[in-house]
Amino acid sequence: MTDRTERDRTAPSTTGRVLRPRAWPSPVRAMTRILNADGSPPVPAPTGTGTGRSAVVDCALYVDGKRQPGDWTYAEALAAARREEHGFVWIGLHQPELAEMTAIAETYGLHELAVEDAVKAEQRPKLERFGDVVFLVLRTARYCEHTELTENSEVVETGQVMLFIGPNFVISVRHGDACRLAPIRADLETKQELLLHGPWAVAYGVTDRVVDLYLEVADQIEDDLDMLEAEVFDRHGHGRIQRIYQMKRELVEFKRAVVPLQRPLMTLTSQVNRDVPKEIRKYFRDVQDHLSRTVEQVNSYDDLLNSILQARLAQVTVDQNNDMRKIAAWAGIAAVWTAIAGIYGMNFDNMPELKMTYGYPVVLALMLGVSLALYRWFRRNGWL
C-alpha cells in the first residue's frame, strides 16, 4: 500500500464553524472554493447535491456489532461513533457526484486523489493508504443471461465498488449494478460477532461477495464455451469466427476485473499487515483461495478459446481446400469435352474421321464415357 497523506490542519470556515482537526490539503480547498462561490467549504447535509438526488443509499451506526436505531446524517453518525469505544459508521453511496462526495470527504478526512478515483470510477483493482484511511478498489462482474450467443452478445457486465476504510468508519461507493450491497449489509447485520471487528468486517463481507460473483460468472462462462466448442466440432455446424472473437473480448473484460485483485488480497492477508485485524485476515485468506480458483479458471478459458479459434481457422482452411479440389475435379471433367471439341473444331481439309457416318454420336459417347469415368474416380477419392 502507498502512503500519500499530508499533515492535518485546522481551518475555520467563513460561517464561523470550526472544521474538524483533519482538514483538506490546499488543492482540495481550491476545489471546494470552485464549488462554492463564497469560498466556503460545502456543509455536510443528507440531501447531497443541489440536483435533489442524494447518493447516500444508507447510513448506519454500529456499536458492539449491532446497528443502532434512528436515521443518521453522515456527520452525526461519525460524531456518535467517536464517542463509542466499539462504534463505527457504514455509509453506502451509489454513483455520487463530485459536490456530495467532496462534502463527505471533508467530514471524514478523505484524500482528494481517492475522492477523484471514487467519482470517476475508472480504476483497476488496487489497495492504497492515505494516512489512517485505506482505499480499496474492486471491480464487480455479473453474468448477462442470453438465449443465444451472437457476435454482439453481452456476456459479462462489470462495475466498481470502492471502499474507504478508516478507524471508525467504512464508506462504500458503488458504480453500476453488477453487485448490489444491500444484501451484503443485511447478511452482515445478522453476524454480530463478525461486525465486532469493525470496518474491516464490512470490507471482508463486500470482497467476499464480489469474489463469489466471480465464481458464478466463471461457471456460467464455461457453459458458453462448451456450447461454442460443440458447434465448432459439429460436422454439420457452422460456428462463426465473429462469435468466438466476441466471447474472447468478454473474457478479457472479465479477466481485467479478476486478475489484478490478486495483489491487493495478498497485501491484506500478509502477516506484516497491521491494518487488518488478525481474526479478519483469516477470512480474507479464504477469499484469496476463491480468487485463485477463479484466476485459474479464467486462464484455462483463455487457453481453451485460443484452441477453439485455432481449430475453427483450421476448419476454414480445410473447407477452402475441399472447395478447391471440387473446382479442380469439375474443371478436369470439363477439360475432356473442351479438348475433343477443340480438336474437331479445327478448320483443316484432311482430318481423319471427318467423313464417318457415325462420327458425331461416337465422339459424344466418348466424351460422356470419359467424363463419367473421371466423376467416379473423383468421387472415390473424396474430391466430389
Side-chain angles (χ1 to χ4, degrees), residues 62-104:
Y62 297 88
V63 178
D64 294 328
K66 293 183 179 180
R67 178 168 181 159
Q68 302 303 297
D71 296 329
W72 303 83
T73 65
Y74 53 80
E76 295 170 346
L78 180 61
R82 287 174 172 170
R83 292 193 297 266
E84 301 290 340
E85 183 179 358
H86 299 290
F88 72 93
V89 182
W90 181 1
I91 303 176
L93 304 174
H94 180 230
Q95 298 179 183
E97 296 181 5
L98 180 60
E100 184 173 15
M101 192 67 209
T102 302
I104 295 174

Side-chain angles (χ1 to χ4, degrees), residues 174-221:
R174 177 172 64 90
H175 290 265
D177 295 324
C179 177
R180 297 184 179 271
L181 302 184
I184 302 174
R185 185 189 290 265
D187 180 63
L188 286 175
E189 288 177 355
T190 63
K191 302 176 181 178
Q192 180 182 355
E193 68 284 354
L194 186 60
L195 285 180
L196 281 173
H197 298 293
W200 281 104
V202 176
Y204 155 72
V206 174
T207 307
D208 181 58
R209 177 56 182 161
V210 169
V211 174
D212 285 346
L213 286 176
Y214 289 166
L215 289 171
E216 295 178 10
V217 173
D219 291 339
Q220 290 170 309
I221 287 179

Side-chain angles (χ1 to χ4, degrees), residues 123-125 137-141 158-161 210 214 253 256-257:
Q123 305 299 312
R124 72 195 303 268
V137 178
L138 306 169
R139 289 196 67 178
T140 57
T158 58
Q160 284 200 325
V161 170
V210 169
Y214 289 166
E253 182 177 0
R256 288 174 180 169

Side-chain angles (χ1 to χ4, degrees), residues 111-183:
H111 197 276
E112 60 172 329
L113 295 177
V115 171
E116 181 182 358
D117 291 346
V119 173
K120 290 185 176 180
E122 298 174 353
Q123 305 299 312
R124 72 195 303 268
K126 64 179 181 179
L127 183 69
E128 291 185 313
R129 182 179 181 82
F130 300 91
D132 56 355
V133 178
V134 176
F135 182 53
L136 175 62
V137 178
L138 306 169
R139 289 196 67 178
T140 57
R142 180 176 66 178
Y143 182 81
C144 300
E145 297 291 343
H146 48 270
T147 56
E148 182 182 3
L149 183 64
T150 67
E151 54 267 25
N152 298 317
S153 295
E154 183 182 10
V155 179
V156 179
E157 176 190 355
T158 58
Q160 284 200 325
V161 170
M162 289 90 158
L163 297 176
F164 294 90
I165 308 160
N168 43 30
F169 67 86
V170 56
I171 302 174
S172 58
V173 182
R174 177 172 64 90
H175 290 265
D177 295 324
C179 177
R180 297 184 179 271
L181 302 184

